[in-house]
Amino acid sequence: MITLTDKGAEKVHEFLASQGDAVETAGLRVGVRGGGCSGFQYALAFDQERDGDVVFEDRGIRLLVDKPSLPYVSGSVIDYVDEMQGAGFKVDNPNVVAACGCGSSFRVAEEEEVSAV
């Protein structure tokens, strides 16, 4: 399962409304891809549901996850932060065992790894 904080859900709603996307069909895609100094990077995007997606709903938002990414992001909480370094979505992921200094990539425990997207 993947969830959103109140602020995260508010920002997703704002973006979808500004784009004219219907919350019933559009959502926040949460995935991972290989890359970065720690091995994986998050891939967050506003998108429509695709065949094979696992779909979670939280606070009226559809969270779309491709099956290969699911083991890497399961249990994550997505927040929106506005800090001195910038604003954007932040993923609090219980599967992460190490992250790079800049926070843009991460590593999971080797025994739980599956092939990267």
Side-chain angles (χ1 to χ4, degrees):
M1 173 141 211
I2 298 172
T3 57
L4 292 159
T5 64
D6 289 338
K7 187 68 171 178
E10 177 185 323
K11 287 297 182 180
V12 173
H13 273 293
E14 285 176 16
F15 183 83
L16 292 175
S18 74
Q19 299 299 307
D21 290 333
V23 176
E24 299 81 30
T25 59
L28 179 64
R29 179 165 299 283
V30 181
V32 298
R33 63 177 182 237
C37 53
S38 292
F40 294 103
Q41 293 179 315
Y42 293 108
L44 301 176
F46 297 99
D47 200 2
Q48 298 290 326
E49 183 177 347
R50 299 179 192 165
D51 286 341
D53 281 345
V54 177
V55 180
F56 300 99
E57 283 204 33
D58 188 41
R59 293 175 170 78
I61 300 291
R62 294 166 50 87
L63 299 160
L64 314 169
V65 184
D66 60 277
K67 287 183 182 175
S69 294
L70 189 58
Y72 297 105
V73 297
S74 184
S76 293
V77 178
I78 301 171
D79 193 10
Y80 186 86
V81 295
D82 192 352
E83 300 172 337
M84 285 179 34
Q85 296 88 358
F89 290 99
K90 177 183 173 191
V91 180
D92 181 11
N93 185 342
N95 304 301
V96 171
V97 296
C100 67
C102 66
S104 67
S105 67
F106 65 95
R107 183 168 46 92
V108 296
E110 286 188 34
E111 59 271 6
E112 295 179 7
E113 284 187 31
V114 294
S115 62
V117 174

